[in-house]
Amino acid sequence: MEHNAHNIIQLQKSNCKNCHKCIRSCPVKSIRFTGGQAHIIQDACIWCGQCLTACPQDAKEIADGIKEVRLILCGNHPIIASVAPSFAAYFEGIGFPRMREALRQLGFTDAEETAIGATFVKKEYEKQLADAKQDLIITSCCPSVNLLIQKYYPTLLPCLSPVVSPMIAHGIDIKRREPDAAVIFTGPCPAKKEEAQGTSISAVLTFEELARMFAEKNIRLKQHGDISHRRNPNSRARLFPTAGGILKTMDIPSDTEYTYMAVDGIHNCASALDDIRKGNITHCFIEMSACTGSCIGGPVMEKYRHSPVRHFQSVVNFAGPRDFKTEPMEEKLLAKTYSPLPYSRKTPSRKEIEDVLLKTGKQKPEDELNCGSCGYDTCREKAAAVCQGKAELNMCLPFLMANAEQLTSNILENVPNGILVLNEDYEVQEINPAAMEMLQVENKQDVLGSHVIYIMDPDAFQDVLEGRREVRNYRDYYPEIDKYLEMSIIHNPTAHTLLAILLDVTEAEHNMLEKEKLSRHTAELTDRVVMKQARIVQEIASLLGETTAETKVALTKLKESIAFERESK
């Protein structure tokens, strides 16, 4: 089953907070930023896992191999686990017999130590030293170092020992003995997932993944306590995962004139390779490991089980004084040719770099702070990365801060509202021109750092800070400045500040008072008119009432007179 090299280290986008820490830690700057998200440049990556351990938000993760292994475990063929010797550091105090037992409980047919493969490899190194045909020999056990040379130092490939790694050697040995077996390697390194592709290794699990599989099956690994007395005396290659461990396992010929050295840590390896390329180092046998402390300081160890001194002791105590007993293997089976894998990068011109620098406000050399906040060592490196499409302009923190300050200054200077910023001790931290005019402050420096009581009543601020009330569009008269102000106060507990937004409503208030005065005058006048009209109406009504009565009396008398005259006739 093939591994997907493009998914060895994956990004959790929702976790990425644009902090650039992964770029700072990446030795080959194989991370591209776009849209505020980090993306691994597959062709440039050496899978050292430095970004994985450096990320504070767990936005990077190793591609999970558990599903692939479960599928293999469902098969009918033998399944052999190759366990890296650094397991003694991750699974402290367990011992290999109990590790084998636990792996069998998971469904593995059997388990063996990868240190057996390391024994084959170290013997090949000893042959190279005895032949003394190469002026410089660099060990080939670390896949990240191998990729570093293949991609960034291809001219030094003749220095790289043409021997497979212990993982591959052990897989070849197992397949030689059991051709139908599927070999599953487990160790502390994500780069092994890439190295295993197309080889005798069917799948790769990290120790963290293996621990999860044990937990899912409720398999508990019991410690032996002090296991040093139970170690296999024929297990010297168990020292391989420690710094200088390869050299400690080798029987170095006494008649060679090589200088022997161990270099650990990817930056130290890169520095050594720079010196080799310049011709400053010759006739050496160099053990190189990408991780500080070698494999016991691998990404999985550093992220989940970081205790380098104790882990070193665990591995050393687990190793015996003699080699594993192995059957001879043909040299051609262990041979490997490492081909160049140059990462093609466009080299921007000086003008292109300077154009980018100008866009970020760097007009002269002293403007180049080389602060490293973008993840690159110098401003020019970052400008080159922008030209190559690996970085964005806004990754420059001083540039962002300057822009933010300028934008804030423009807003504060031109906004018609008054802006007043206090700390939680009610001391003025910022005041804009509009607020200065409203509060009759002539000189900004006179009030900065002073208590707000010198320019206005602090009661409203105290109420907001102490949670007694909210102040939103609160209008009040301030006699000391003879103005009406409308004020909203916002407390920012994270920044420990109080923000007051002021609006001068004096004219509006005066207009409203004038309208109220006019309204009262109109109401009074109306009341007087109504009262007068009411009296007139009453008078008319009264007059009309008297006239009607008199008419009624006259008509009654007239009627009576007519009736009397008729009767008289």
Side-chain angles (χ1 to χ4, degrees):
M1 188 174 292
E2 292 289 318
H3 293 277
N4 188 342
H6 297 289
N7 291 316
I8 293 172
I9 296 178
Q10 299 174 339
L11 172 71
Q12 293 286 344
K13 288 188 176 182
S14 59
N15 289 7
C16 185
K17 304 301 182 185
N18 202 20
C19 70
H20 309 150
K21 197 170 183 180
C22 55
I23 298 182
R24 283 194 289 277
S25 67
C26 180
V28 293
K29 306 303 180 193
S30 63
I31 295 175
R32 177 175 62 91
F33 257 83
T34 179
Q37 297 286 302
H39 302 270
I40 294 172
I41 305 172
Q42 312 292 334
D43 294 340
C45 187
I46 60 174
W47 309 114
C48 63
Q50 295 298 309
C51 60
L52 178 79
T53 58
C55 181
Q57 300 294 328
D58 291 328
K60 315 288 188 306
E61 63 179 7
I62 301 172
D64 200 328
I66 292 178
K67 289 182 180 178
E68 184 179 6
V69 170
R70 282 179 181 148
L71 288 174
I72 295 173
L73 289 173
C74 291
N76 296 320
H77 45 270
I79 303 162
I80 311 298
S82 175
V83 184
S86 48
F87 89 91
Y90 195 93
F91 300 98
E92 294 180 80
I94 301 304
F96 192 72
R98 288 191 175 174
M99 176 59 72
R100 176 189 278 129
E101 179 187 344
L103 286 163
R104 283 173 174 167
Q105 290 179 50
L106 275 181
F108 286 83
T109 308
D110 201 359
E112 297 182 10
E113 296 186 58
T114 315
I116 295 170
T119 302
F120 288 111
V121 171
K122 76 102 181 180
K123 288 180 179 179
E124 292 301 308
Y125 291 160
E126 289 169 354
K127 290 178 186 177
Q128 283 184 271
L129 288 173
D131 292 342
K133 291 180 180 179
Q134 286 183 229
D135 178 64
L136 244 157
I137 302 172
I138 299 172
T139 58
S140 56
C141 296
C142 177
S144 290
V145 169
N146 299 343
L147 286 171
L148 179 67
I149 296 173
Q150 288 176 281
K151 293 184 177 183
Y152 297 95
Y153 299 89
T155 59
L156 301 184
L157 280 173
C159 301
L160 190 59
S161 178
V163 180
V164 297
S165 71
M167 176 185 75
I168 305 301
H170 191 216
I172 293 170
D173 180 48
I174 292 173
K175 299 283 273 187
R176 181 179 62 163
R177 291 182 273 118
E178 295 193 57
D180 294 332
V183 182
I184 296 176
F185 174 81
T186 181
C189 177
K192 289 294 184 184
K193 291 179 182 273
E194 192 276 340
E195 184 191 12
Q197 295 180 74
T199 70
S200 55
I201 305 299
S202 299
V204 173
L205 285 174
T206 65
F207 287 145
E208 186 272 335
E209 290 173 320
L210 182 60
R212 273 196 280 140
M213 291 185 74
F214 286 148
E216 288 168 4
K217 292 289 186 179
N218 201 27
I219 298 172
R220 297 184 179 181
L221 300 173
K222 296 181 181 179
Q223 292 188 342
H224 278 291
D226 181 12
I227 62 170
S228 60
H229 66 285
R230 300 180 186 177
R231 66 188 178 189
N232 178 2
N234 301 318
S235 59
R236 184 163 57 155
R238 287 172 174 171
L239 291 171
F240 257 59
T242 62
I246 297 174
L247 288 170
K248 290 174 185 174
T249 68
M250 293 173 60
D251 296 319
I252 297 173
S254 58
D255 57 347
T256 66
E257 297 181 357
Y258 283 100
T259 300
Y260 303 93
M261 62 183 71
V263 181
D264 60 318
I266 194 67
H267 293 287
N268 292 333
C269 291
S271 296
L273 292 171
D274 284 331
D275 268 335
I276 293 170
R277 187 163 56 183
K278 294 173 184 176
N280 297 332
I281 299 176
T282 58
H283 214 57
C284 283
F285 180 91
I286 307 177
E287 172 188 330
M288 281 195 182
S289 303
C291 297
T292 303
S294 194
C295 298
I296 60 170
V300 173
M301 300 295 297
E302 186 174 350
K303 192 170 182 66
Y304 300 103
R305 295 281 194 279
H306 187 58
S307 184
V309 175
R310 193 177 75 245
H311 292 161
F312 176 82
Q313 188 178 35
S314 297
V315 172
V316 169
N317 288 342
F318 194 56
R322 298 186 295 275
D323 288 339
F324 281 94
K325 294 179 181 180
T326 57
E327 293 294 326
M329 191 184 298
E330 291 182 64
E331 187 176 317
K332 66 179 182 180
L333 293 176
L334 299 171
K336 179 173 181 179
T337 301
Y338 292 90
S339 304
L341 299 171
Y343 170 58
S344 57
R345 292 172 293 177
K346 169 195 170 186
T347 302
S349 66
R350 180 175 178 178
K351 184 179 184 306
E352 287 175 317
I353 291 174
E354 288 178 350
D355 285 345
V356 171
L357 290 171
L358 284 173
K359 290 177 182 177
T360 54
K362 296 167 179 59
Q363 301 179 5
K364 46 189 183 297
E366 51 265 36
D367 294 333
E368 299 173 30
L369 301 180
N370 302 324
C371 64
S373 61
C374 61
Y376 292 88
D377 293 333
T378 68
C379 295
R380 288 184 173 266
E381 282 184 35
K382 187 257 185 177
V386 171
C387 295
Q388 293 166 347
K390 293 168 60 178
E392 297 178 316
L393 288 173
N394 61 7
M395 287 168 59
C396 178
L397 183 58
F399 171 66
L400 282 180
M401 289 178 64
N403 275 358
E405 288 174 2
Q406 185 176 6
L407 177 61
T408 302
S409 177
N410 286 339
I411 292 172
L412 289 176
E413 291 291 324
N414 297 292
V415 69
N417 294 79
I419 304 294
L420 184 64
V421 181
L422 312 182
N423 61 20
E424 290 182 344
D425 292 323
Y426 311 109
E427 295 169 339
V428 179
Q429 305 299 297
E430 184 59 71
I431 183 170
N432 74 336
M436 290 173 61
E437 182 179 353
M438 292 178 198
L439 301 174
Q440 298 178 1
V441 174
E442 294 183 2
N443 191 339
K444 185 176 184 177
Q445 300 304 319
D446 291 341
V447 297
L448 289 180
S450 300
H451 198 284
V452 70
I453 198 171
Y454 291 109
I455 53 176
M456 65 187 309
D457 191 335
D459 287 350
F461 295 97
Q462 291 174 344
D463 288 346
V464 170
L465 183 59
E466 295 171 10
R468 287 193 292 270
R469 63 169 172 140
E470 287 189 355
V471 175
R472 291 287 188 275
N473 301 322
Y474 173 71
R475 184 174 293 194
D476 200 5
Y477 176 67
Y478 294 83
E480 61 273 18
I481 55 176
D482 189 26
K483 286 185 179 178
Y484 288 91
L485 300 180
E486 189 172 271
M487 180 166 60
S488 295
I489 300 176
I490 302 165
H491 177 219
N492 185 341
T494 304
H496 304 288
T497 57
L498 291 156
L499 170 67
I501 303 172
L502 307 173
L503 180 63
D504 188 345
V505 293
T506 304
E507 185 176 351
E509 191 71 22
H510 286 162
N511 290 339
M512 186 175 67
L513 291 174
E514 286 296 324
K515 287 180 181 179
E516 288 180 358
K517 183 178 178 181
L518 179 61
S519 296
R520 285 196 302 271
H521 177 71
T522 303
E524 291 172 0
L525 182 59
T526 302
D527 285 344
R528 288 197 297 271
V529 170
V530 169
M531 291 292 290
K532 186 175 181 180
Q533 291 297 323
R535 286 196 301 271
I536 293 172
V537 169
Q538 289 175 353
E539 289 175 1
I540 293 172
S542 176
L543 180 60
L544 287 173
E546 292 175 1
T547 304
T548 302
E550 291 174 352
T551 303
K552 185 177 180 181
V553 171
L555 288 174
T556 301
K557 287 181 176 181
L558 178 61
K559 182 180 178 182
E560 291 176 353
S561 176
I562 293 171
F564 178 75
E565 287 180 359
R566 283 178 180 175
E567 291 175 359
S568 299
K569 290 180 179 179

